[in-house]
Amino acid sequence: MRGLALSALLALTVACYQYESRTLPSPSSPEPQPNPGASLRAGFGRADITAPPGVGMFCYGPEGEEARGYRQRLYARALVLEDAAGERLGIVVADLCVISPLLHRLVAERVVNATGIGADRLLLAATHTHSAPSHFFAAKLYNQYGSEVSGYDAVLVDFLVTGIAASILEAAEALSPARVAWGSDVVWGQTRNRSYEAFVLNDPLPDLPAAAQGLDLNERQEAVDPRWTMLRVDLLDPETGAYAPAGAFSIYAIHGTAIPAANDLLDPDVHGFIQRGLERHIDRLNHLSIGFHPRAVHLVANGTAGDVSPDWPQDTRCGADVLRTTRRAAGPRAPPSPEGWCEPDGDSTAACLAAAKAYVEDAGSELAARAIALFDDLGTRLRDDVRVARAFATIPLKGDDTPPELCDEPKLGTAAMGGAPDGYTRYYGWRFLGLLPLGYEQGNSAIKEGKKRCQGEKRYALYPMHELVSGPHGYPEQTQLMVARVGNQLLGTVPAEITTTAGDRMKKAMQREARRLGVAADSFAIVSLTNGYLQYITTAEEYSAQRYEGGATIFGPGSAAAFERLLIGLVQTLADDSSSETSKALVDSIVAHPGKHKTIFPSATSGPPPADITRAIQGQACREGTLVVSWIDAYPGRLVPADGPVLRIDREVEPGTWQPTVWDDDPRLEVRAIRAKGKRGYLWEARWIPDRASGNHRVVLLARKDLPEVTGQVFQACR
């Protein structure tokens, strides 16, 4: 009855929901302008995309919390490359869970005139952190059910588009003579295959690198692609006339789920440490002091991580809400007590989150060290005679032109409702009348026995009301693919989470076709979660197991074969020198159906104007080794983190001389919005766990528009 009640509730929700359609722009790049005698040029850019508190966080589904603040900021990092023929490629990796074609097309429209980078030359990828905003999708279902805060918000979309576009504009403006080098390494022991039971069904198994002798790995840790692919970029310093290290672009397969679903802070997860670790190393190589954020830029995109989790310890999983009987007065005539969702115990959740953050710091620091070692090793292989090329296509997912391997109607499986081992949802293991399984689990009752349909073994979620809940435009109806070549490296981009074996087969297919056609490439990689989002792509063998990944492969068991063939076609297009730029860049129309705009992003006019607020520190105390600072400031929406740094902590290096120690972009500093204080303003709180700090410190609220700088009292570092 619970499952039927849920179906009825969702059906009622959909019946009341209004659809809105929007034809997205189709900005193609202009013809490239050759630069006779010029070598490769490159430029980096970065933009803060940390939203204010109040947005829902995507990727954990119904367990995705409303963001109350942030821990480490979210950024869009950009790299623009231009070769001697004038061919350009814009690569952006944003600290988001996924990308939508709505974001991709609007960003391309915003930058194409100034940079020459249209939709066909823009590779927009996500790190896949599960602690980043929702509400920006082209398909209604993802906006409606992606987190506990539902809806599509056009204001948030514009906020993200503005930030991502700014990173590209900065990178294009900074174009300078460059030398680059590709390289790779294998990194074992930091990841594991969370769906090993499905992985072993593959025939053949992927040809993965062998683990080095002496490594103590279990079978799940060996069932992943450990390759780390990196492009190092050095830029010419006009003042010295020498090339200096400037940044890098990496691809590594790891889910952004080291931070569990119980988290209520925006957070780049383990990728934040990987990015910042190499960036600060490069700044040290260039003898730059550490500031609010590094000068160097490290883009970290996700590879074939669909079934690959961080190797998190069990104490970092906090558990989902559970149904329990509500306590109420009882009696012989009293009706049965209703059931309600109960959150896990607060103390256990706090302990779990603390363990997760400690794990993220340890794992992220180790991965950053591996990135640093690879970056330094590439310093002897740099060259400037690198060519850039790309082939792009818009793929219909509905109608007569849909790839034949894909099912006509996308369907979500019951296994997807229960969530993955990284974070099971509150529906995991639900049973009809408490006895009969509904399929909200991994395999078992999630598998449909008997007559096979296009969707094969999948038991549909919320059947028989699946179509009613999804609606006529609930799922994506178009998607985008790209194959890009930078030097000897061929990149296949796919708008989905791709399992280890599915990705391995795609890479090998690209490799075979490139060699057959004589494409100058000897290294191949898949960049997932790029230019759109179709949930998962598993192999047909993995799909038959109907674990979480198979349940979330919405276009059926032929999905991997379809995208393998489509990537081969793009390799052929790339290799055809007689093809025009138009044929290599099919930027066809995309129609988005995000749903009606809902105000989620905090209003820029909420609360009193900043000029009417007396900004002041309210409290400052040490609690169990943590400095807790509270202060009165502007309301969220007026105090947008992306507009600049909010606070800093200084250390007294000698009497009367203060030196910045940490800004509000540090993993040991958390910022939360607490509650409104009426006309006085809004109460905020920061928590700082010092790392081997000693001596006198002070908190400084940094000046912002119409808000003065405020310095707190001197305190001894908490221990």
Side-chain angles (χ1 to χ4, degrees):
M1 291 301 294
R2 295 169 186 161
L4 293 177
L6 178 64
S7 297
L9 176 61
L10 291 178
L12 180 61
T13 301
V14 172
C16 297
Y17 197 81
Q18 300 183 47
Y19 289 89
E20 285 193 358
S21 299
R22 176 178 184 179
T23 301
L24 300 181
S26 304
S28 296
S29 305
E31 291 286 335
Q33 300 299 315
N35 297 313
S39 62
L40 180 73
R41 296 201 302 163
F44 285 100
R46 180 200 334 261
D48 197 322
I49 56 171
T50 312
V55 300
M57 294 189 288
F58 187 77
C59 264
Y60 277 124
E63 311 312 322
E65 299 277 351
E66 177 183 335
R68 307 294 183 183
Y70 57 96
R71 169 185 175 265
Q72 296 191 90
R73 286 164 174 260
L74 307 181
Y75 290 100
R77 294 170 168 86
L79 167 62
V80 172
L81 298 166
E82 180 189 74
D83 66 12
E87 293 281 355
R88 283 191 177 187
L89 179 66
I91 303 173
V92 183
V93 181
D95 288 323
L96 295 172
C97 185
V98 298
I99 299 298
S100 80
L102 192 150
L103 282 186
H104 176 262
R105 290 293 181 91
L106 294 180
V107 168
E109 180 187 41
R110 194 78 63 91
V111 304
V112 63
N113 291 335
T115 67
I117 297 171
D120 53 298
R121 295 188 183 278
L122 175 58
L123 189 165
L124 176 56
T127 59
H128 201 42
T129 172
H130 283 41
S131 301
S134 183
H135 320 300
F136 56 80
F137 295 96
K140 182 268 302 181
L141 270 182
Y142 303 146
N143 291 317
Q144 190 70 355
Y145 302 116
S147 78
E148 72 169 26
V149 183
S150 67
Y152 165 74
D153 188 348
V155 176
L156 176 63
V157 168
D158 184 70
F159 168 79
L160 292 174
V161 168
T162 298
I164 296 169
S167 71
I168 301 170
L169 294 169
E170 180 183 338
E173 182 69 22
L175 281 171
S176 305
R179 292 176 179 172
V180 301
W182 283 104
S184 65
D185 193 7
V186 293
V187 179
W188 292 105
Q190 294 295 335
T191 56
R192 64 168 178 256
N193 194 304
R194 70 184 187 190
S195 195
Y196 185 75
E197 296 80 0
F199 171 85
V200 296
L201 297 177
N202 287 300
D203 185 19
L205 289 171
D207 183 19
L208 300 172
Q213 289 186 348
L215 285 180
D216 183 19
L217 301 179
N218 60 46
E219 58 187 13
R220 290 181 179 271
Q221 291 173 316
E222 290 184 326
V224 300
D225 187 347
R227 297 179 183 90
W228 190 308
T229 301
M230 178 184 286
L231 175 70
R232 170 173 168 160
V233 180
D234 285 20
L235 298 178
L236 182 67
D237 185 337
E239 294 184 2
T240 65
Y243 285 87
F249 168 52
S250 289
I251 306 163
Y252 181 63
I254 182 171
H255 244 82
T257 50
I259 299 291
N263 168 56
D264 63 357
L265 298 176
L266 297 172
D267 194 318
D269 208 284
V270 70
H271 292 81
F273 279 87
I274 300 171
Q275 292 160 160
R276 289 161 172 80
L278 178 57
E279 289 170 347
R280 291 194 170 100
H281 171 73
I282 295 172
D283 280 2
R284 286 191 290 269
L285 293 177
N286 292 324
H287 307 290
L288 297 174
S289 60
I290 303 300
F292 172 62
H293 59 64
R295 292 277 300 279
V297 178
H298 183 202
L299 297 76
V300 183
N302 227 308
T304 54
D307 52 358
V308 178
S309 296
D311 197 30
W312 43 258
Q314 189 59 45
D315 65 349
T316 65
R317 300 303 96 178
C318 301
D321 293 358
V322 295
L323 269 179
R324 290 184 181 150
T325 301
T326 304
R327 293 184 178 181
R328 55 179 295 176
R333 297 184 181 179
S337 296
E339 290 186 327
W341 293 109
C342 296
E343 296 181 355
D345 173 74
D347 290 341
S348 63
T349 298
C352 156
L353 288 171
K357 292 167 185 175
Y359 164 70
V360 168
E361 184 167 350
D362 290 343
S365 297
E366 284 193 40
L367 288 168
R370 297 301 297 267
I372 290 169
L374 178 56
F375 182 88
D376 289 348
D377 183 62
L378 292 175
T380 59
R381 309 183 212 173
L382 297 163
R383 52 191 298 176
D384 61 5
D385 58 343
V386 170
R387 300 300 299 271
V388 175
R390 62 81 184 86
F392 178 94
T394 309
I395 310 297
L397 300 172
K398 189 174 184 178
D400 296 338
D401 296 328
T402 302
E405 302 93 338
L406 302 182
C407 296
D408 292 335
E409 295 295 332
K411 304 285 187 184
L412 189 70
T414 55
M417 292 280 291
D422 285 357
Y424 291 125
T425 73
R426 63 192 63 187
Y427 307 122
Y428 186 80
W430 257 22
R431 293 176 178 268
F432 181 67
L433 298 177
L435 298 173
L436 301 178
L438 294 172
Y440 300 154
E441 56 186 351
Q442 305 280 302
N444 301 321
S445 60
I447 297 174
K448 176 75 172 178
E449 302 291 349
K451 183 180 179 181
K452 294 291 190 280
R453 307 148 296 184
C454 179
Q455 290 280 351
E457 297 82 358
K458 180 184 292 178
R459 185 182 295 277
Y460 301 157
L462 304 175
Y463 182 82
M465 295 185 175
H466 189 282
E467 287 79 7
L468 182 60
V469 173
S470 61
H473 303 293
Y475 290 102
E477 298 181 359
Q478 298 95 5
T479 195
Q480 306 177 120
L481 269 70
M482 176 190 288
V483 168
R485 182 167 66 85
V486 178
N488 66 347
Q489 180 76 45
L490 209 61
L491 303 174
T493 75
V494 182
E497 302 180 52
I498 311 159
T499 61
T500 302
T501 307
D504 183 69
R505 293 176 183 177
M506 291 178 193
K507 284 187 287 187
K508 287 178 178 175
M510 290 169 56
Q511 182 181 47
R512 289 192 299 269
E513 193 64 15
R515 289 179 176 174
R516 184 182 74 82
L517 297 172
V519 175
D522 55 26
S523 207
F524 302 82
I526 296 292
V527 184
S528 65
L529 301 162
T530 304
N531 296 352
Y533 185 56
L534 303 180
Q535 293 184 241
Y536 277 74
I537 295 178
T538 64
T539 66
E541 299 97 314
E542 293 165 343
Y543 185 94
S544 68
Q546 277 303 293
R547 294 182 63 80
Y548 174 78
E549 296 79 12
T553 299
I554 59 176
F555 285 97
S559 298
F563 284 93
E564 184 178 317
R565 179 179 59 80
L566 292 167
L567 288 173
I568 288 174
L570 288 177
V571 172
Q572 295 168 350
T573 302
L574 191 71
D576 186 0
D577 291 335
S578 64
S579 296
S580 67
E581 283 299 308
T582 301
S583 67
K584 290 185 178 181
L586 302 179
V587 187
D588 296 331
S589 176
I590 288 180
V591 179
H593 302 277
K596 188 176 181 180
H597 165 74
K598 177 182 177 182
T599 301
I600 299 169
F601 197 93
S603 171
T605 60
S606 60
D612 295 344
I613 293 172
T614 301
R615 201 181 196 201
I617 293 177
Q618 298 290 291
Q620 186 173 285
C622 288
R623 300 176 189 169
E624 298 180 352
T626 300
L627 173 68
V628 181
V629 179
S630 59
W631 75 96
I632 296 293
D633 218 317
Y635 274 57
R638 292 186 187 269
L639 185 68
V640 178
D643 291 342
V646 174
L647 65 87
R648 185 185 74 227
I649 297 178
D650 296 340
R651 181 173 65 89
E652 191 175 30
V653 292
E654 57 183 59
T657 302
W658 296 87
Q659 178 178 300
T661 294
V662 64
W663 284 263
D664 60 310
D665 184 38
D666 189 274
R668 290 176 172 265
L669 183 66
E670 301 177 353
V671 176
R672 278 184 175 83
I674 304 301
R675 61 180 175 274
K677 303 291 285 186
K679 294 182 179 180
R680 291 181 57 204
Y682 208 93
L683 183 66
W684 295 75
E685 181 183 271
R687 292 174 175 259
W688 178 49
I689 303 175
D691 182 17
R692 297 185 299 276
S694 61
N696 290 333
H697 288 71
R698 67 182 184 184
V699 175
V700 181
L701 304 178
L702 300 170
R704 297 166 70 88
K705 183 180 180 181
D706 296 325
L707 292 169
E709 181 171 294
V710 175
T711 302
Q713 296 179 346
V714 176
F715 65 94
Q716 286 286 320
C718 303
R719 296 182 181 179

